[in-house]
Amino acid sequence: LSSIPTQVWSLDSLRELDISSNPIQSLPDELGQLTNLRRLVISDCGLNQLPSVISSLHQLTHIDAHNNNLGDLSNFDFSHLSELTDVILYDCHLTRIPPSIGECKKIKIMDLSRNNLKRLPRQIGWIGQSLRKLILNDNGIDEFPGEI
């Protein structure tokens, strides 16, 4: 697939969308129509950014966007994704994680391995007791927030 078929946007009850390993390169705003979506897998799609429309998926519990060239996520707003439990962003050439990640207080698993992170925002400590697995290997992190 090089684009998502338009029929997908009318699937009101859709809970999981996996379009991994397709050369999609961008996601349309219509993704926001999938208001019941819980799992979004967009790994290995050639994405250069995490589309802002993902922020409107308030029921989302799992996002897997590994193996994309996402770079700097500092402008992505995680604050509306309060149901997130799994954030899989390994091998994405990440240089920054936005402070808004701290608003996702239900995250249990966060995989940020094999990126270019030098530091984490202090707000990551706000996730608190729900965080069970934080994977940070193969980064150049030289400063760890005291809030964790």
Side-chain angles (χ1 to χ4, degrees):
L1 290 175
S2 59
S3 65
I4 302 169
T6 56
Q7 300 92 316
V8 170
W9 312 130
S10 62
L11 300 174
D12 297 337
S13 300
L14 191 67
R15 302 263 180 165
E16 182 171 345
L17 178 62
D18 184 339
I19 54 171
S20 57
S21 300
N22 284 293
I24 302 288
Q25 295 185 342
S26 66
L27 294 173
D29 289 341
E30 287 82 3
L31 178 65
Q33 295 174 16
L34 302 176
T35 56
N36 289 308
L37 201 64
R38 303 286 195 278
R39 292 177 52 89
L40 178 61
V41 182
I42 51 175
S43 59
D44 198 25
C45 286
L47 297 172
N48 291 320
Q49 65 178 8
L50 207 53
S52 60
V53 69
I54 292 173
S55 293
S56 67
L57 301 173
H58 303 286
Q59 299 301 315
L60 202 64
T61 61
H62 177 97
I63 183 164
D64 182 346
H66 77 269
N67 201 26
N68 283 292
N69 190 20
L70 302 179
D72 185 347
L73 287 184
S74 59
N75 290 324
F76 185 81
D77 186 6
F78 279 95
S79 65
H80 300 290
L81 300 175
S82 60
E83 298 301 315
L84 268 181
T85 59
D86 305 317
V87 178
I88 312 300
L89 296 173
Y90 68 84
D91 212 8
C92 287
H93 306 277
L94 295 177
T95 57
R96 289 189 182 186
I97 300 296
S100 63
I101 193 72
E103 300 295 326
C104 303
K105 298 189 183 346
K106 294 182 180 179
I107 293 177
K108 294 178 182 176
I109 299 169
M110 185 180 304
D111 188 345
L112 302 174
S113 61
R114 298 193 310 242
N115 282 296
N116 301 314
L117 298 170
K118 299 291 181 213
R119 59 184 50 93
L120 298 171
R122 65 179 176 80
Q123 291 86 346
I124 207 165
W126 297 355
I127 296 170
Q129 298 301 313
S130 67
L131 191 61
R132 299 287 181 249
K133 187 182 250 187
L134 178 59
I135 307 168
L136 299 170
N137 61 290
D138 294 322
N139 278 288
I141 297 175
D142 55 14
E143 185 177 324
F144 210 70
E147 287 79 5
I148 294 181

